[in-house]
Amino acid sequence: MFHCNYLYIHRVNIYIYIYILIPSLTHIQQVMDPSLPSVILLILIGYVLSSFDNRHHNVTRRYDYCVLGAGPAGLQMGYFLSKARRNYVILERNSGPGSFFNKYPRHRKLISINKIYTGRGNREFNLRHDWNSLLSDKPDLLFKRVSDEFYPPADAFPQYLSLFVRELGLRVQYGVDVGRIRAVQSATGRHYILTDQHASDYTCSVLLVATGLWVPHTVDFVGADLVEGYESISTNPQDYKDQAVLILGKGNSAFETAQSILGRASRVHMLSSSPVRLAWQTHYVGDLRAVNNELIDTYQLKSLDGLAEARLEKIVIAQQKEEGERRLAGKKKEKRKQLYLMLNKYMHNRNSFDATQEELPGHHIDNFPMRKPYDRVIRCLGFRFNFSIFDSSACPPNSENAKGRLPALTPWYEGKNTPGLFVLGTASHSRDYRSSAGGFVHGFRYTARAVHRLLEHRYHRNPWPSTQLLTTQLQSWILKRVDEASGPYQMFEVLGDVILLRGSHCEYLEEFPLQALPQLSSLSGHEVSMHGLIVVVMQYGKKKIDYLGRSRAETEWTNAWKSNFLHPVLYYYKTLPSVEEMKLRPNGWPLPRPQAIHHIVEDFLTEWDAPISHIQPLRRFLEHCLQTDLRAFYAESCFRSSLTHRTPPLFCQQGYLKQQGIPRNSQLRQRVHDAGLTHTKQDVGTSDADSTFPNYLVPAGASMSSGLKLDL
């Protein structure tokens, strides 16, 4: 209201100023050039309006939550904040959501699976095979509304994100290009100030950075200026006709580029510091996907293309220096010079792009694999996080992995040394780099939900959502989760379900960050009791195998711990693991060594519902951890056990003895009577007269008139 009144008063002042000015200009017009006063009037009006605009832009806007970036991660967090009715804003520098996908991937085909038909109607299960949709409470707000292709076109993704914003009414401000972020400590606590291109400030208590990775990653070597970037190359295959091309990199962007020109280029070579890693071997979706690997065929079948390894810091891209060559300033070259891949140890002048015949590798090694020149060299090395917009008070450090391209984060996705600043989406991938799916939509949609649950507890005292279960219900609930839950399935070994044991009952927390387990109480608001806890994790086997060989899968439940493919693993702890124990956990393990561990054998259908191979071993493990009998019993068995045991099985205690069996129902009673299964009045009081009464209870002196309510 104050802001609106300020604008109104300022406009009134402008009109008064002009009203006073006009008579003076009229007098000037009588003694000077008639057109001059009009020019002066226009200049003054423009100046005043400009002053108004500047004062308008410099207004500081205050929010509890600022989400930076309207890509999939920013919009996903926006949905959770909107649903919780928090004071938030999403700031986007471009004119629409998901602007990254307006340009990338350059050859316009996504490699994220869009499997529409699964044979199942379970929405949660189907999200295991839908890698593009975001989470919401609208069951039809899915990516399949904009594309039904298995590998959809890139243009469909911004279209889907626009649909997501529109149907959920998310608060997004477009055209806000934040160029500086700083942190300020005040009496009310730490907050962040974001300054945009108009010098307007946005102040928030919590900053959620979802800018993604869009700054091209480069490597410093001699001749780097002669190299073309993935971000700017031509995507027309005809431009590479009969050309020799060298591509630096062996990721999906590199192979995507190579695949697009295979039919036109004379030869395509690819160079990086490490060999190709295939996604179907590593189980990491960021490695080379089969949809992009046609060049491996042409390489192995000896059709002029090839792969090589070398550290890019050690190479030189140079042009051959010809004898007697003269460079004429300003003279236009008629033809692009060919480029040579060289090693800097052979260069005499390591600051020059020109090489003599004696400096070429072929002069020293006559069968040097890449001795022939190239017409083009293309850099396809991926992207890095934009650290430049943060000043020293708000900048998270570089991660130790991913070559420092990502920000370093805590296990709960808060920037290290930057409290209140969280990183979402692809930029948060340092937490599970090369080990899970946190850098991709089908992974970070769940980590964004985990961050929101943490925020709800930290700032609004709402504990992590949990389900209260009787201990006898635990086995069925675990089986339900491992059979259909999409969060632990996609974010394997990163997010897991935590079961807090309370004796006769338990609390079930879904999708908690595993590496934050030592901080469970402070992050979730739930305490661990003397009964301990169980953590349910989806994980792959750690053994190196031939993933297409005959012995690639384990089917015997007694060897479940040898499972190679994705399968559920349960960890039982008597007490919460400490931070030190987490650091010292075995190599490749998502958690420290537990008091007991149980692997459910891998399943070809990823359906863990087999009575002998899956369910019975799980029950035995739970009985061991809980020290109680978890078998299910018929009412007859519960009745007999109640008469012959001091403590009946837990199933009977929580069910039969509390009359939790079949509920009283008049229609059911009538059907039983019509079927002749009920006793007549004269039969009551004698066990011999009732054919449905178990004979083995007769010696115990029991009868239908014993006082127990056994009727329907």
Side-chain angles (χ1 to χ4, degrees), residues 184-312:
V184 177
Q185 193 73 33
S186 66
T188 58
R190 182 185 178 95
H191 57 274
Y192 291 89
I193 301 176
L194 291 67
T195 305
D196 68 9
Q197 72 273 33
H198 301 297
S200 295
D201 288 340
Y202 300 80
T203 301
C204 51
S205 302
V206 179
L207 174 58
L208 301 155
V209 181
T211 54
L213 306 180
W214 57 271
V215 179
H217 181 61
T218 60
V219 175
D220 187 21
F221 57 84
V222 177
D225 292 342
L226 300 175
V227 173
E228 301 173 68
Y230 172 74
E231 67 278 4
S232 59
I233 59 171
S234 168
T235 56
N236 182 2
Q238 288 298 121
D239 291 341
Y240 301 86
K241 187 175 181 180
D242 201 30
Q243 291 186 355
V245 179
L246 172 63
I247 297 177
L248 305 180
K250 294 198 193 100
N252 280 296
S253 63
F255 272 89
E256 163 209 328
T257 302
Q259 188 153 305
S260 71
I261 63 176
L262 279 182
R264 295 293 183 271
S266 59
R267 69 178 186 275
V268 179
H269 291 168
M270 305 184 73
L271 180 72
S272 70
S273 58
S274 59
V276 172
R277 291 182 287 252
L278 302 173
W280 59 267
Q281 289 181 325
T282 64
H283 308 301
Y284 174 58
V285 297
D287 284 336
L288 179 60
R289 302 287 300 285
V291 67
N292 282 330
N293 69 6
E294 291 181 8
L295 185 135
I296 293 181
D297 264 10
T298 59
Y299 168 46
Q300 290 295 327
L301 299 178
K302 306 307 294 179
S303 187
L304 298 179
D305 305 316
L307 307 174
E309 287 75 43
R311 290 187 58 188
L312 299 186

Side-chain angles (χ1 to χ4, degrees), residues 427-471:
S428 68
H429 196 29
S430 60
R431 287 307 316 168
D432 63 315
Y433 182 67
R434 297 197 47 74
S435 62
S436 196
F440 312 91
V441 175
H442 65 288
F444 62 63
R445 61 190 179 192
Y446 302 104
T447 58
R449 179 163 63 185
V451 170
H452 178 257
R453 288 171 173 171
L454 181 151
L455 297 175
E456 283 293 301
H457 173 61
R458 178 185 291 186
Y459 298 106
H460 309 286
R461 311 314 301 167
N462 294 323
W464 196 282
S466 64
T467 302
Q468 299 285 335
L469 299 170
L470 295 174
T471 302

Side-chain angles (χ1 to χ4, degrees), residues 636-649 652-653 656-657 708:
E636 177 184 315
S637 301
C638 284
F639 180 53
R640 182 179 184 183
S641 178
S642 300
L643 297 178
T644 57
H645 293 76
R646 184 182 299 273
T647 304
C652 297
Q653 294 179 41
Y656 174 78
L657 293 181
L708 294 175

Side-chain angles (χ1 to χ4, degrees), residues 631-678:
R631 288 177 297 172
F633 295 88
Y634 291 109
E636 177 184 315
S637 301
C638 284
F639 180 53
R640 182 179 184 183
S641 178
S642 300
L643 297 178
T644 57
H645 293 76
R646 184 182 299 273
T647 304
L650 190 60
F651 182 89
C652 297
Q653 294 179 41
Q654 296 181 346
Y656 174 78
L657 293 181
K658 291 185 178 181
Q659 302 183 25
Q660 297 297 312
I662 301 175
R664 193 178 188 90
N665 185 292
S666 59
Q667 293 182 352
L668 180 61
R669 184 185 181 92
Q670 183 62 41
R671 291 179 183 176
V672 172
H673 180 272
D674 294 344
L677 299 178
T678 56

Side-chain angles (χ1 to χ4, degrees), residues 226-429:
L226 300 175
V227 173
E228 301 173 68
Y230 172 74
E231 67 278 4
S232 59
I233 59 171
S234 168
T235 56
N236 182 2
Q238 288 298 121
D239 291 341
Y240 301 86
K241 187 175 181 180
D242 201 30
Q243 291 186 355
V245 179
L246 172 63
I247 297 177
L248 305 180
K250 294 198 193 100
N252 280 296
S253 63
F255 272 89
E256 163 209 328
T257 302
Q259 188 153 305
S260 71
I261 63 176
L262 279 182
R264 295 293 183 271
S266 59
R267 69 178 186 275
V268 179
H269 291 168
M270 305 184 73
L271 180 72
S272 70
S273 58
S274 59
V276 172
R277 291 182 287 252
L278 302 173
W280 59 267
Q281 289 181 325
T282 64
H283 308 301
Y284 174 58
V285 297
D287 284 336
L288 179 60
R289 302 287 300 285
V291 67
N292 282 330
N293 69 6
E294 291 181 8
L295 185 135
I296 293 181
D297 264 10
T298 59
Y299 168 46
Q300 290 295 327
L301 299 178
K302 306 307 294 179
S303 187
L304 298 179
D305 305 316
L307 307 174
E309 287 75 43
R311 290 187 58 188
L312 299 186
E313 296 85 354
K314 301 290 186 181
I315 70 170
V316 174
I317 301 297
Q319 302 167 335
Q320 184 175 1
K321 185 176 182 180
E322 299 177 1
E323 293 296 330
E325 178 183 5
R326 293 184 178 179
R327 295 186 177 274
L328 300 178
K331 183 176 179 180
K332 185 178 179 180
K333 297 179 182 179
E334 296 181 357
K335 185 178 180 181
R336 180 200 299 258
K337 278 195 171 185
Q338 290 190 310
L339 304 174
Y340 285 84
L341 172 67
M342 303 174 54
L343 303 179
N344 58 15
K345 64 181 180 180
Y346 297 134
M347 292 290 293
H348 301 312
N349 182 3
R350 298 188 178 182
N351 295 320
S352 174
F353 298 163
D354 295 328
T356 63
Q357 182 66 34
E358 291 75 19
E359 292 175 315
L360 298 178
H363 180 77
H364 302 271
I365 308 172
D366 61 355
N367 68 337
F368 183 71
M370 310 177 91
R371 57 187 178 273
K372 287 191 174 183
Y374 297 94
D375 297 293
R376 293 173 182 260
V377 180
I378 301 174
R379 167 183 40 79
C380 299
L381 301 176
F383 300 91
R384 62 184 299 112
F385 183 69
N386 181 22
F387 290 92
S388 66
I389 60 175
F390 300 89
D391 74 6
S392 58
S393 64
C395 188
N398 296 69
S399 63
E400 295 180 359
N401 57 10
K403 300 178 181 178
R405 295 185 294 125
L406 304 173
L409 307 175
T410 66
W412 48 94
Y413 300 93
E414 192 169 16
K416 291 185 177 179
N417 307 323
T418 56
L421 185 154
F422 294 82
V423 180
L424 310 173
T426 304
S428 68
H429 196 29

Side-chain angles (χ1 to χ4, degrees), residues 37 78 86 92 164 183 220 279 287 305 309 357 372 405 408 445 448 508 530 546 565 585 596 603 605 627 640 706 712:
R86 302 303 174 200
E92 168 58 45
F164 193 83
D220 187 21
D287 284 336
D305 305 316
E309 287 75 43
Q357 182 66 34
K372 287 191 174 183
R405 295 185 294 125
R445 61 190 179 192
Y508 200 105
M530 59 180 292
D546 179 359
F565 289 89
R585 67 187 185 275
D603 188 77
L605 301 175
Q627 291 297 296
R640 182 179 184 183
S706 62
L712 296 174

